[in-house]
Amino acid sequence: MAKTEKDGKSRRELITLGSAFGLMGLAAAGTGGALFKYMFPVVSYGTPQKFLIPLDDLPDVGDELIFDDMKVVLRRQTETEVAAISLVCTHLGCTVNRVETGFQCPCHGSQYDSDGLVVGGPAPKTLPWLEIKNVPGGQIEVDTGTSMPEGTFYAVV
Ligand code: FES
């Protein structure tokens, strides 16, 4: 059997050893890739949409109104200040439920406080706060495709 001059191992042994390390490297890369993908999922949250809410339909001061179809909760802080928070979980896009302590995702258990900050589970970031504009005709427009800094309230006129 042929031996290499350096360490005395046969060529066949070196090829076998090299192949084994190569396969282990591929397996590790595949596992690492899957873990990385789980940590940073590629999620499509659907087509961003704008929708109108008549000022007469705003919730009472200190109250909230949930728009199930649009997956948005509208919060009224004062007589003239409102905010909109997305109900789309930042993990994989399920719709979160409003609970006493904040928001809870039914899919994988992510938990958010009442401002949408992550307090548990796999969600990678805060529930988006959404842009609101005053529009003619005594209405506001909520844009589910435009995120604003957390805590952004808008003056309604
Ligand atoms: S979609 Fe996974 S925790 Fe919400």
Side-chain angles (χ1 to χ4, degrees):
M1 183 176 288
K3 302 276 185 185
T4 60
E5 291 182 13
K6 280 189 171 180
D7 59 10
K9 291 188 186 275
S10 73
R11 178 174 288 184
R12 178 174 291 173
E13 288 171 328
L14 287 175
I15 291 172
T16 303
L17 193 61
S19 297
F21 278 118
L23 288 174
M24 286 191 307
L26 284 174
T31 303
L35 283 174
F36 186 80
K37 188 174 181 180
Y38 177 77
M39 292 170 61
F40 303 99
V42 177
V43 179
S44 172
Y45 297 107
T47 307
Q49 296 181 345
K50 297 176 181 178
F51 65 103
L52 299 173
I53 305 169
L55 293 177
D56 292 340
D57 292 347
L58 295 181
D60 294 333
V61 173
D63 208 352
E64 295 178 343
L65 191 57
I66 292 176
F67 294 84
D68 289 319
D69 290 349
M70 303 309 295
K71 301 178 183 175
V72 168
V73 59
L74 189 71
R75 180 177 295 167
R76 189 170 194 174
Q77 180 168 256
T78 68
E79 191 64 39
T80 58
E81 290 179 306
V82 296
I85 303 172
S86 171
L87 297 177
V88 178
C89 182
T90 59
H91 179 225
L92 292 176
C94 290
T95 303
V96 300
N97 297 315
R98 188 70 166 105
V99 295
E100 191 174 333
T101 56
F103 302 92
Q104 172 95 36
C105 183
C107 293
H108 311 103
S110 285
Q111 299 167 338
Y112 304 85
D113 70 10
S114 59
D115 288 335
L117 299 173
V118 179
V119 293
K125 55 186 178 180
T126 302
L127 291 175
W129 286 52
L130 305 172
E131 184 179 65
I132 296 176
K133 289 180 182 169
N134 287 291
V135 294
Q139 302 178 101
I140 60 170
E141 179 186 79
V142 178
D143 184 352
T144 65
T146 305
S147 297
M148 305 305 292
E150 178 255 326
T152 302
F153 281 85
Y154 292 86
V156 293
V157 291

